[in-house]
Each structure stands twice: as structure tokens, then as C-alpha cells.
Amino acid sequence: MTPTTTTELTTKTLDAPGAVLAYDVRRNPDTSEPPLFLIGSPMGASGFPTLAGHFPDRTVVTYDPRGVERSQKADPTSQSTPEQHADDLHRIIADVGGGPVDLFASSGGAVNALALVAKHPEDVRTLVAHEPPLASVVPDREHAMALTEAIGATYQRSGCGAGMAHFISGVSYTGLITPEFASQPGPDPAMFGLPAEDDGTRTDPLLSQNITTCTHYEPDFDALRGASTRIVLAAGIESDGTLAHRGAGAVAERLGTKPVTFPSGHGGFLGNEYGQPGEPEAFAAKLREVLAEA
């Protein structure tokens, strides 16, 4: 049964170099536990209300990464790096009262959280890094990195519909990425109900700002192994074989651990936020279990 108590939601903004960050705090004044951060990238705070609702006994913090939703970038055409995102998170943690906090981070958020812990281990008590899509650390890294570069190139050449179709094809591929798959053109956007028309913009947070900087990031494994933070890699049972799932396994292996299996797939924590619900109740129960093991 999910614990129940009263929480109050407030929204704040915070200046950072090149960006103004927006974050939300669901504050439980009666808890003795540290704040629980729930983050993604480029997914913003709008992806986490369902999961946050399963932790009313905690103070929960969510945010929009720079360039996403309410968090504005001075130059939205520029790329964002995991190091920049880590600095943003460090600032927000300080703004809510300082660490250590508990941190659940999914997808690109997991990559950014690994960068945060490498630099500021004192900020995080337990990190649950869920499916970091690190093409840089899998055995087929050369072809995996080439694939993410090709996705970005498709977007720059043909716009959002084409880029998103190529992205969906790439992230759903299972097994080692072959040179042939990495080099083939993206599928027809119509296959996924996406528009083929190019609206001319090139500022998409996923396909422009983060696609290569995130997937090509190489964690500082020496710093992570020496960190005071407890680091748990997590991977969804339904996403076995995908790049993000394999990224979790590769990071865990480098850290001398094994990934913990979570319910559902890459978006397993989602409710109806984007019309593709996972298994949020089971997911939250597993997250609570992992956090309690600290």
C-alpha cells in the first residue's frame, strides 16, 4: 500500500549559466527522509506526476532540464552536455537545502546523474540510474555511436518527423547494432503516424540539443567507483536488448555490480502523461524497495 500524507507543490526558478531552470517541490513537512529527486532528460517534470504520487511520504523534486518546457536556454540552437545538466542539478539540490538527496534518474537523466555523482558525490545518497542510453560503453560502441549521430543528422537534414522516426527505429532495435543498421536511412515517418513536413526548426531538445552529447558521454568510472554515493543501475524487463537497457548493464559491469530489474520498459514509471502508460504502481513499489535497501 502506498503511504499517504499531505504534500504541498511549489514551483521555483533558478538562474544557471546560459539558462533559467524551473523545478517543482512537492514538500512533505513531516518526513525525516531526504528529498527524492525524480528526473529524466529530455523528459521534464511533466513526465513524473504519476510516479511522484506514489511517494507522498517524501518531499519530491522534479524539474525541466535546460531547453525543455519551462526551462529556457539563452541559445536553444546549442547542444547541452551531461556536465551542464549535472551543474544544473547541483544548483537545484543546493537551492532546496543541500544534499545528500535520493535520486531516481531515467534515460538521459541517468547519464546526467552519473555526471553529477562523479563530480559531487556528496549531493546524492542513493542514485537509481534507470536505462542510461550510453552508446559509448556498450561492446558495439562504434556502431551505436554512429547510429545516434545518424539520427541527429536525419533531423538536421529533414526535420522533426523524419528525425523522430529514425530515433524510434533506433531505440527499439534489439541486439548488437550492426554497421548496416547504423548506416541505413531512417524509416518513413508515416510508419509512426509522424508528419513528413519540415517546419524548419532545429532546436528540438532530444534530436538537436542532447542526442549525441548524451549518448557519447563517457562516465568517469574511477570517480564513480570511489564515490560515497550508492549507485544502483536499473533496467526494464520489457526493454531487454535495447541500447538503453544494454547501457545499464555495461555501466553496472564497469562498477562491479549487476543491474536491478524493474517492471515494464523504458517508460515503465509513466501513467497517462503521454498516453503510453507503463506499470507505475509496480514500478514505484520496486523503486521504494531499492531505496529502502540503503
Side-chain angles (χ1 to χ4, degrees):
M1 179 180 295
T2 301
T4 59
T5 192
T6 301
T7 56
E8 176 185 355
L9 187 146
T10 58
T11 298
K12 297 186 176 183
T13 58
L14 182 64
D15 289 336
V20 178
L21 309 171
Y23 70 93
D24 301 318
V25 181
R26 293 168 172 81
R27 189 171 299 282
N28 180 345
D30 300 322
T31 185
S32 60
E33 292 289 333
L36 171 61
F37 277 59
L38 306 176
I39 72 167
S41 182
M43 180 181 286
S46 62
F48 292 97
T50 298
L51 185 58
H54 285 279
F55 291 90
D57 56 320
R58 301 284 296 264
T59 289
V60 176
V61 181
T62 57
Y63 93 119
D64 295 335
R66 59 173 54 218
V68 175
E69 298 178 15
R70 302 164 299 171
S71 290
Q72 302 298 311
K73 283 179 65 174
D75 179 9
T77 66
S78 65
Q79 292 187 324
S80 298
T81 67
E83 292 88 351
Q84 286 177 316
H85 289 301
D87 181 66
D88 292 343
L89 288 164
H90 177 64
R91 290 171 183 273
I92 294 173
I93 290 170
D95 203 50
V96 299
V101 304
D102 286 338
L103 175 55
F104 169 77
S106 186
S107 195
V111 176
N112 302 337
L114 291 169
L116 170 68
V117 168
K119 189 173 182 181
H120 299 287
E122 72 282 358
D123 280 355
V124 184
R125 182 177 70 169
T126 296
L127 165 62
V128 181
H130 179 251
E131 299 203 353
L134 283 169
S136 63
V137 300
V138 294
D140 49 329
R141 69 186 304 269
E142 178 184 353
H143 308 311
M145 292 169 73
L147 172 62
T148 62
E149 289 176 358
I151 292 168
T154 296
Y155 171 68
Q156 293 297 331
R157 182 174 58 252
S158 303
C160 193
M164 201 65 196
H166 203 166
F167 173 79
I168 294 170
S169 171
V171 299
S172 59
Y173 183 87
T174 58
L176 297 178
I177 294 169
T178 64
E180 293 76 19
F181 183 78
S183 61
Q184 73 182 25
D188 184 345
M191 290 177 58
F192 304 101
L194 295 167
E197 296 78 15
D198 182 357
D199 66 5
T201 62
R202 293 297 185 271
T203 59
D204 186 85
L206 169 62
L207 299 170
S208 178
Q209 296 179 28
N210 291 282
I211 184 70
T212 55
T213 54
C214 172
T215 58
H216 291 203
Y217 174 73
E218 299 197 19
D220 184 340
F221 287 106
D222 287 339
L224 293 173
R225 282 189 288 265
S228 56
T229 303
R230 173 176 169 250
I231 303 172
V232 179
L233 275 299
I237 192 170
E238 294 178 5
S239 52
D240 188 22
T242 62
L243 176 60
H245 188 285
R246 294 192 298 116
V251 172
E253 183 177 7
R254 294 284 291 272
L255 295 179
T257 64
K258 293 184 178 180
V260 175
T261 299
F262 268 61
S264 193
H266 194 62
F269 53 89
L270 291 171
N272 290 318
E273 284 87 355
Y274 303 118
Q276 294 180 317
E279 299 177 30
E281 185 172 353
F283 196 101
K286 185 63 177 181
L287 177 57
R288 185 178 290 277
E289 174 189 318
V290 170
L291 292 172
E293 293 171 357

